[in-house]
Amino acid sequence: MDLKLDHRTEDGLTIVEVEGEIDVYTAPRLRELLIDLVNKGNFHLLVNMEKVDFLDSTGLGVLVGGLKRVRAHDGSLELVCTQERILKIFRITGLTKVFGIYASVDEAKEAHGKDK
Amino acid sequence: MATVELMFSALPAHVRTARLVATAIARRTGVEESLLDEVRLAVGEACSRAVEAHRAHCPGEPIRIELKDDSGRFEVTVSDQAPSDEIKQEQPLDLGMLSDSFMSGFGIAVIAGLADDVEVFPSPKGMRIRMSWPAANGHPS
């Protein structure tokens, strides 16, 4: 399955919907979207990974790159993910300590609201 | 099952094909369903790393994958022809040091975390990554 990307803004949070496979072939498209969003002033990003079938280290690199960009603007990049096979990659690489990972968009929005 | 060999040019689009082939053969070889995601990811990581290395050093050369059933184990070897002196990254995480070059070491770290058994052979003539998983069901027809 290819990669489908969409985004919307709710309550000051830009929600990026990702569906499909994030790998060495498709990750550049996600990187371009994250860079574009930051360049347009969206510094609080929430990437919804619930429909991601596959994520490799190239995809992790794109997410880390996005995090570095938003942090340069005192922003945030957090994730929604409950799939064990995706979470496992974050655990193996230690990135669970770097990203805020939520069980749902609503949970992430609530936490984001409290942080404001 | 006899050995299956696959060669592909160093294009990112081919990595998905390599993942699909490896997963199909792993299933046929008798690797447990619960391990197939790990096979898919580990083979994808090894192929992605090889593609990136070839694109940097020798884009015209193909990457080779060998998949075989070896005494009750499903064994995958990914071989590239790009000079390599990469080492496994084991430093503690700090966002500031997560540069692109650091992230390139994540692929092997992920493989090491996924495969049941991994050996990495870097050399000036290329890197060979051999990984294997138990194939408990023997030889399905």
Side-chain angles (χ1 to χ4, degrees), chain B residues 26-27 29-39 133-137:
Chain B
R27 180 179 282 117
T29 305
V31 175
E32 275 184 31
E33 284 291 323
S34 61
L35 293 176
L36 292 179
D37 267 340
E38 299 187 2
V39 172
W133 292 265
N137 296 340

Side-chain angles (χ1 to χ4, degrees), chain A residues 1 21 23 57 88 94, chain B residues 16 19 38 45 93 95 98:
Chain A
M1 185 183 202
E21 299 185 341
D23 69 359
S57 61
K88 186 173 186 175
Chain B
R16 181 171 186 263
R19 286 199 307 264
E38 299 187 2
E45 291 290 354
L93 274 174
L95 188 61
L98 290 178

Side-chain angles (χ1 to χ4, degrees), chain A residues 40-89:
Chain A
K40 288 176 177 167
N42 301 281
F43 302 138
H44 292 282
L45 306 179
L46 177 65
V47 181
N48 187 355
M49 316 268 293
E50 286 298 81
K51 293 182 180 173
V52 171
D53 300 316
F54 181 86
L55 173 75
D56 70 5
S57 61
T58 318
L60 292 178
V62 168
L63 293 172
V64 169
L67 181 60
K68 287 169 73 174
R69 282 189 173 81
V70 292
R71 287 229 177 133
H73 298 277
D74 293 324
S76 62
L77 188 154
E78 294 173 319
L79 309 171
V80 173
C81 183
T82 58
Q83 295 187 75
E84 183 52 35
R85 63 178 167 183
I86 305 291
L87 290 170
K88 186 173 186 175
I89 306 164

